[in-house]
Amino acid sequence: MSSEVKYPEFRDRIAEALDDLLVKQHRRASTVALFVNRTNENKEFARRWLKGYTLPKTEDTIILAKALNVNEEWLTFGTGEKTVDPTIDTADYKMEKLLGDEELVEMLRSLSITEAVALKFFIKTIKKGA
């Protein structure tokens, strides 16, 4: 297995997209695996993408771009607009991919207004400390 960086531009673009989502360095491989719905596998494939050693298959790139809220063309080639059209509603898609747990998603959807506000405050507090 080669450890030669063959795709530094892809590595930089995926890192930039993960930075935009505030994903910490030590969580990136597992987050990428979660995005492409391969959480039961060894995360080495994700580490190799993140280091620029290999590229994902086309179908994984499409899924990954959607989860990262970036255009597939930008992620793959660095051309075109970086972000997708903001009129496209990807909130449910992101939630399900990011959390990867349908039961948890349902629990979040069923929160009362008071509980949702408290959770939002809690998350903002954690992000500030990150």
Side-chain angles (χ1 to χ4, degrees), residues 66-110:
K66 189 176 275 192
L68 293 169
N69 199 32
V70 297
N71 282 315
E72 178 192 348
E73 178 184 353
W74 177 84
L75 184 60
T76 306
F77 305 108
T79 57
E81 294 293 319
K82 176 182 173 184
T83 56
V84 291
D85 184 344
T87 61
I88 297 172
D89 182 12
T90 59
D92 281 343
Y93 176 84
K94 279 183 169 181
M95 184 184 294
E96 289 178 22
K97 283 296 179 186
L98 185 60
L99 299 175
D101 184 334
E102 292 174 14
E103 183 180 4
L104 183 55
V105 170
E106 278 306 310
M107 288 170 38
L108 290 171
R109 286 186 178 139
S110 67

Side-chain angles (χ1 to χ4, degrees), residues 3-52:
S3 61
E4 176 187 344
V5 176
K6 295 180 183 176
Y7 309 100
E9 297 86 5
F10 179 82
R11 173 198 61 201
D12 296 345
R13 286 189 298 274
I14 196 171
E16 182 179 333
L18 289 165
D19 285 344
D20 291 347
L21 293 178
L22 304 174
V23 178
K24 293 184 184 284
Q25 196 71 31
H26 69 279
R27 300 289 304 150
R28 291 188 174 195
S30 58
T31 300
V32 167
L34 186 61
F35 282 159
V36 295
N37 201 24
R38 290 168 60 182
T39 55
N40 293 333
E41 296 180 33
N42 180 321
K43 310 298 182 280
E44 186 59 30
F45 72 92
R47 288 183 195 93
R48 296 184 62 69
W49 299 349
L50 292 165
K51 292 182 182 216

